[in-house]
């Protein structure tokens, strides 16, 4: 469609950005539960900025899942270069497999139940 054609190189850049954010999610270097919950203790300004940065990065990374899904659903309408980057260069199927295997938006509670 005209929308995909108008995106041009911006779509390449968007895919690269989304890939970086999703790899960050799959790597799981952060304790997502601590990022998303409010702390009762008083944090100094630096700790609060770090916590907010991690929370925003986590939320943006989750939004990237929807962006890549949308581009994938419309792969017939985008250029072959975009589809190649989606499947081969950035290897999104493997990234999504990692997210399915270990979803960062779910945490096990103290009783062993899954929390969202």
């Amino acid at each position: 469609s005209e929308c995909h054609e108008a995106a041009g190189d911006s779509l390449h850049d968007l895919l690269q950005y989304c890939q970086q954010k999703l790899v960050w999610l799959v790597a799981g270097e952060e304790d997502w539960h601590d990022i998303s919950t409010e702390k009762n203790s008083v944090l100094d300004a630096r700790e609060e900025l770090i916590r907010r940065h991690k929370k925003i990065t986590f939320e943006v990374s989750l939004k990237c899942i929807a962006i890549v899904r949308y581009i994938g659903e419309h792969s017939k309408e985008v250029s072959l270069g975009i589809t190649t980057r989606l499947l081969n260069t950035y290897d999104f199927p493997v990234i999504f497999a990692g997210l399915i295997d270990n979803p960062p938006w779910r945490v096990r509670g103290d009783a062993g139940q899954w929390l969202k």
Side-chain angles (χ1 to χ4, degrees):
S1 73
E2 297 113 23
C3 178
H4 296 106
E5 292 172 13
D9 290 335
S10 298
L11 208 48
H12 290 281
D13 295 338
L14 180 61
L15 277 178
Q16 181 180 13
Y17 178 81
C18 289
Q19 188 259 355
Q20 291 170 351
K21 293 300 177 189
L22 295 183
V23 166
W24 181 80
L25 270 181
V26 171
E29 297 175 4
E30 304 292 338
D31 185 358
W32 312 121
H33 191 267
D34 287 343
I35 291 173
S36 61
T37 58
E38 294 296 324
K39 304 254 183 199
N40 291 334
S41 64
V42 177
L43 300 175
D44 68 10
R46 179 177 163 77
E47 290 172 338
E48 179 64 19
L49 283 175
I50 290 170
R51 187 187 70 77
R52 286 184 184 193
H53 177 266
K54 289 178 180 179
K55 183 176 181 183
I56 290 169
T57 302
F58 177 73
E59 291 173 358
V60 166
S61 298
L62 292 179
K63 304 300 186 244
C64 285
I65 294 171
I67 292 169
V68 173
R69 186 203 61 140
Y70 177 82
I71 294 170
E73 284 180 356
H74 294 87
S75 61
K76 291 181 180 180
E77 299 163 7
V78 296
S79 71
L80 183 58
I82 294 293
T83 304
T84 300
R85 286 181 190 230
L86 188 70
L87 299 174
N88 297 333
T89 306
Y90 299 129
D91 211 6
F92 280 108
V94 172
I95 294 172
F96 281 127
L99 290 171
I100 291 168
D101 187 44
N102 189 15
W105 51 86
R106 293 179 66 187
V107 178
R108 278 206 191 268
D110 294 333
Q113 77 280 13
W114 284 105
L115 306 172
K116 290 186 179 184

